[in-house]
Amino acid sequence: MTDASSSPIAVTVLGAGSWGTALALHAARRGHATRLWTRSTEHFEAMRAERANRRYLAQFPFPDNLQVECDMASALAGADLVILAIPSHALRAALVQLRAVLAELAAAGCEPSPRYLIAAKGVEVDSLATMAEVVEATLPEAHARRMAVLGGPSFAAEVAAGLPTAVVIASRYPEVADWIQRALAGENLRAYVTDDVVGVELGGAFKNVIALGAGVCDGAGLGQNARAALITRGLAEIGRLCLALGAHPATLSGLAGLGDLVLTCTGALSRNRRVGLALGQGQRLEDILREMGMVAEGINNTLSAHRLAQREQVEMPITAMMHAILYEGISVRAAVHALMQRDLKPERD
């Protein structure tokens, strides 16, 4: 396995959406030999012909050291770092395929032994498993022990453009986090490390729920006071659930907590905020998603957060109201009224 302090290493990005493409562009700019995998033959052919991902990040041409693949075995061969950038709801199925490919490569005597970086943000709706737990349950143990997760405020388009960005890499294995930190950190990307995998994962997933709510506030014309209150109280309720599930308090005030929350709730590039804006303006969810043509993780994350809150008996009123708007047919006006008329209590509760 190549030392990340030397250049280049072999980086494989599984998932050619906007986030996977941005990370592949960044890795290539760092001088790494980079492969970007898509399961779609049509998408693969288009990217190979156009040397860009016209579907998601059309304005960023691929450098010569970024190649595209649609065969997973070819994408994985010789990889030192595998970045899992597949949407959270589809990650388990992709990992089942990945495990089968690893077995085939092992039988042929050429099984890679990469580190893995989970770039998907979410919690499975049915199992309530985090993405790290999905990896641990699906990949061979020797591979799962080389895993880290990525968090922090990082819009794909800005990473692709090389704008300054700070992220956090979490792993229970310090040598893995440190290795990936050195591999990815560069002139325009600063990477921190932590051992709080739970905090980074849950902060990254559940900020999407609050971002939906912030968008609803803006779309319904509720004002900047309301948005600021929602972000602040949203962080408080995310914190209650994260702490109940074992997160470190400092993570919630860091890049994967406050940082990612503020960006996603206020940034114009936030998909979840865009969905909330349209909901607040009275549009139907089905129409919004069809027009966007991209995944807004907050839709499923709202289900996961609501179910986890019920299981852990943690009060999450904003999440409950977003669940009611998305899945129970309650109006935005009724949801706001319910939030504002809740029993009065101390701020720390």
Side-chain angles (χ1 to χ4, degrees):
M1 199 179 308
T2 307
D3 186 344
S5 63
S6 63
S7 184
I9 64 171
V11 176
T12 296
V13 181
L14 299 182
S18 56
W19 188 214
T21 302
L23 290 170
L25 286 165
H26 170 73
R29 283 198 302 265
R30 286 278 289 114
H32 302 317
T34 305
R35 284 168 285 192
L36 177 62
W37 174 85
T38 175
R39 64 181 179 180
S40 166
T41 303
E42 179 183 357
H43 195 197
F44 161 72
E45 295 290 356
M47 289 192 295
R48 185 173 66 171
E50 297 165 349
R51 296 299 301 157
N53 191 342
R54 300 293 180 194
R55 185 180 299 178
Y56 295 108
L57 291 171
Q59 67 271 43
F60 302 107
F62 291 168
D64 291 342
N65 60 336
L66 198 170
Q67 302 302 315
V68 293
E69 296 281 355
C70 66
D71 178 76
M72 189 177 284
S74 298
L76 290 173
D80 297 304
L81 173 63
V82 174
I83 299 176
L84 301 170
I86 296 159
S88 59
H89 68 272
L91 183 60
R92 187 181 291 270
L95 289 172
V96 170
Q97 180 183 356
L98 173 56
R99 183 182 180 117
V101 170
L102 290 172
E104 292 172 3
L105 292 173
C110 53
E111 180 183 10
S113 56
R115 280 87 168 184
Y116 294 87
L117 181 63
I118 303 171
K121 295 179 180 180
V123 173
E124 284 191 327
V125 172
D126 294 328
S127 70
L128 298 182
T130 67
M131 297 300 96
E133 290 169 338
V134 172
V135 169
E136 290 170 340
T138 310
L139 290 188
E141 182 180 357
H143 286 264
R145 289 176 63 86
R146 296 192 294 268
M147 170 188 61
V149 301
L150 180 65
S154 46
F155 282 149
E158 295 195 357
V159 172
L163 295 176
T165 301
V167 298
V168 59
I169 297 164
S171 179
R172 287 184 286 273
Y173 311 102
E175 68 281 3
V176 173
D178 292 344
W179 189 93
I180 296 175
Q181 179 187 42
R182 294 193 303 273
L184 292 185
E187 181 179 356
N188 295 312
L189 190 140
R190 181 167 177 80
Y192 294 84
V193 296
T194 179
D195 61 358
D196 186 9
V197 175
V198 171
V200 169
E201 285 212 276
L202 297 183
F206 296 149
K207 52 85 180 179
N208 289 327
V209 182
I210 308 305
L212 286 170
V216 167
C217 278
D218 290 343
L222 301 182
Q224 297 181 60
N225 291 350
R227 185 211 299 159
L230 184 136
I231 293 171
T232 306
R233 296 306 300 169
L235 179 62
E237 70 177 56
I238 290 173
R240 287 195 293 270
L241 181 58
C242 290
L243 293 177
L245 293 169
H248 192 285
T251 302
L252 303 173
S253 60
L255 291 167
L258 180 62
D260 208 359
L261 178 67
V262 169
L263 178 71
T264 313
C265 287
T266 62
L269 295 175
S270 169
R271 297 176 192 171
N272 293 287
R273 181 174 177 272
R274 282 168 55 194
V275 171
L277 276 168
L279 286 171
Q281 292 164 354
Q283 297 183 43
R284 296 170 64 249
L285 180 60
E286 296 82 359
D287 297 335
I288 299 165
L289 297 179
R290 183 170 56 251
E291 183 179 340
M292 281 181 60
M294 293 186 289
V295 175
E297 296 277 23
I299 306 300
N300 284 335
N301 293 164
T302 298
L303 274 175
S304 303
H306 187 60
R307 292 177 181 179
L308 275 173
Q310 291 179 321
R311 191 189 75 184
E312 300 296 322
Q313 297 184 323
V314 173
E315 189 177 25
M316 298 185 73
I318 297 171
T319 299
M321 286 303 102
M322 284 312 307
H323 184 275
I325 290 171
L326 291 172
Y327 298 105
E328 299 169 26
I330 189 174
S331 70
V332 170
R333 182 176 296 276
V336 172
H337 178 78
L339 282 174
M340 295 300 291
Q341 298 304 312
R342 294 174 63 246
D343 291 342
L344 299 176
K345 58 183 62 180
E347 185 183 19
R348 292 181 183 177
D349 289 355

